[in-house]
Amino acid sequence: MSTDSFDPALHADPLQFWEQRVKATRWMITKTVLLGVFAGVLGILGQGWLERAAPLFPIISQNYGVWQLCYLLALILIFVIWALAMRQKMALLENSKHGMHTQQRIAQHNARRKQAAAEARQRRDEQEKARALELAAKQGAKSKKFDY
């Protein structure tokens, strides 16, 4: 299923679909931001934990620089992945907002067309009634039988 299109078979109201999608995307962005904050806090705490664990584990104290470099690279990798996820979520939000605005314009356009069609139908009905009255008046003036 494509994430950038509306499938009418799955949703009865297109505008409601886009509104729900915008709301869901905002929640995804909020969750992603919170995960990033949590990862940042753990990153800061993890550096201290690595420093405190160095004397306890000989393998860390012997190669502390390598461990610190690996930890820093892991943090950078996590940040890059988080930044890409945020970029994807923001693009999805923009796409959803665009879809919602497009659907609103379509609904407004359809409402205007429906209104114009109703007005045209009303004018036609009035014109047909006026013609019918004119024809009835003309036929009423002429006699159908011979007047002697």
Side-chain angles (χ1 to χ4, degrees), residues 121-139:
R121 193 176 318 111
Q122 184 179 8
R123 280 193 307 270
R124 266 195 317 267
D125 291 345
E126 290 173 0
Q127 288 173 355
E128 287 177 13
K129 286 179 184 178
R131 275 192 222 127
L133 288 175
E134 287 177 19
L135 289 175
K138 285 181 183 179
Q139 288 179 353

Side-chain angles (χ1 to χ4, degrees), residues 12-13 15 34 44:
D13 183 18
L15 190 57
L34 290 176
I44 292 169

Side-chain angles (χ1 to χ4, degrees), residues 76-96:
I76 291 172
L77 179 66
I78 290 170
F79 175 75
V80 168
I81 291 171
W82 177 81
L84 289 174
M86 282 300 295
R87 182 174 175 226
Q88 179 189 18
K89 301 293 188 266
M90 295 304 282
L92 182 61
L93 179 63
E94 288 302 314
N95 179 288
S96 298

Side-chain angles (χ1 to χ4, degrees), residues 62-80:
Q62 291 170 357
N63 301 316
Y64 183 73
V66 173
W67 279 91
Q68 201 170 22
L69 178 66
C70 290
Y71 183 75
L72 180 64
L73 291 176
L75 287 178
I76 291 172
L77 179 66
I78 290 170
F79 175 75
V80 168

